[in-house]
Amino acid sequence: MPFSLLKMADEHGIIVEYWDFQPPLEAVYWSFPGLPPVIGLARSLFESRAHFRCVLAEELGHHFTSTGNSIPLTLFHYRDRLEISRVEYRAMRWAALHLMPLDKLRLALRKGIYERWELADFFDVTEVMVDFRMTLPDIRDKLQAMVM
């Protein structure tokens, strides 16, 4: 159980609830002025600690980087899809930076932890999160400089 993330949610007045979502839905973030924000998580997330951490961190990312909610919508306009993509990117970026901070990532690399599965194990995240984190400018640019 990712206690530090749950503690963070509690400290910020975010209610975390567990529901039986139908796949592929795993989580939602909802907020409305005057009411405490809510993160709904699928009970199926208990099957993988790393995946649970990544999903919860992304939902917290919605709280810290955007307004409104991330409840799935039917979109009819391309511009709406682009805005959703921006919102999702900001939340995922927040999650990646929180779960894999640059100082600890440097430490892992200095220890010779390079493989994506090793990094995933080291940070207790998914390989998808490792892949995303490695695309962020703070590390991507440094890695490219090392290769050249």
Side-chain angles (χ1 to χ4, degrees):
M1 189 64 88
F3 293 112
S4 64
L5 293 170
L6 291 169
K7 183 179 179 198
M8 180 185 296
D10 185 57
E11 289 169 351
H12 289 274
I14 304 167
I15 297 169
V16 177
E17 296 283 337
Y18 302 94
W19 293 314
D20 293 318
F21 289 129
Q22 293 298 311
L25 185 61
E26 293 183 312
V28 294
Y29 171 74
W30 180 84
S31 68
F32 190 81
L35 296 174
V38 177
I39 292 175
L41 298 173
R43 285 188 175 95
S44 62
L45 292 173
F46 291 120
E47 296 171 13
S48 167
R49 177 182 161 89
H51 188 62
F52 187 110
R53 283 173 37 82
C54 291
V55 171
L56 178 54
E58 183 181 350
E59 296 309 315
L60 285 168
H62 283 292
H63 177 76
F64 293 116
T65 64
S66 61
T67 59
N69 60 57
S70 63
I71 295 174
L73 305 169
T74 301
L75 304 172
F76 297 101
H77 298 284
Y78 181 67
R79 70 178 175 272
D80 295 333
R81 289 186 188 145
L82 287 176
E83 183 55 33
I84 294 296
S85 294
R86 284 186 205 102
V87 167
E88 291 300 323
Y89 176 84
R90 286 191 297 264
M92 184 74 155
R93 181 179 180 277
W94 185 94
L97 292 171
H98 180 79
L99 295 173
M100 300 178 67
L102 184 58
D103 60 332
K104 291 183 181 174
L105 189 51
R106 284 182 181 146
L107 175 66
L109 295 172
R110 278 195 296 261
K111 288 183 173 186
I113 301 171
Y114 298 111
E115 298 290 337
R116 63 196 291 250
W117 65 268
E118 291 176 312
L119 288 165
D121 285 349
F122 183 82
F123 287 102
D124 200 12
V125 298
T126 63
E127 290 183 17
V128 170
M129 182 61 77
V130 171
D131 291 343
F132 181 81
R133 178 64 177 95
M134 300 310 263
T135 67
L136 296 178
D138 66 332
I139 193 70
R140 182 195 64 220
D141 297 343
K142 288 174 180 40
L143 289 176
Q144 286 177 345
M146 289 171 54
V147 171
M148 295 183 166

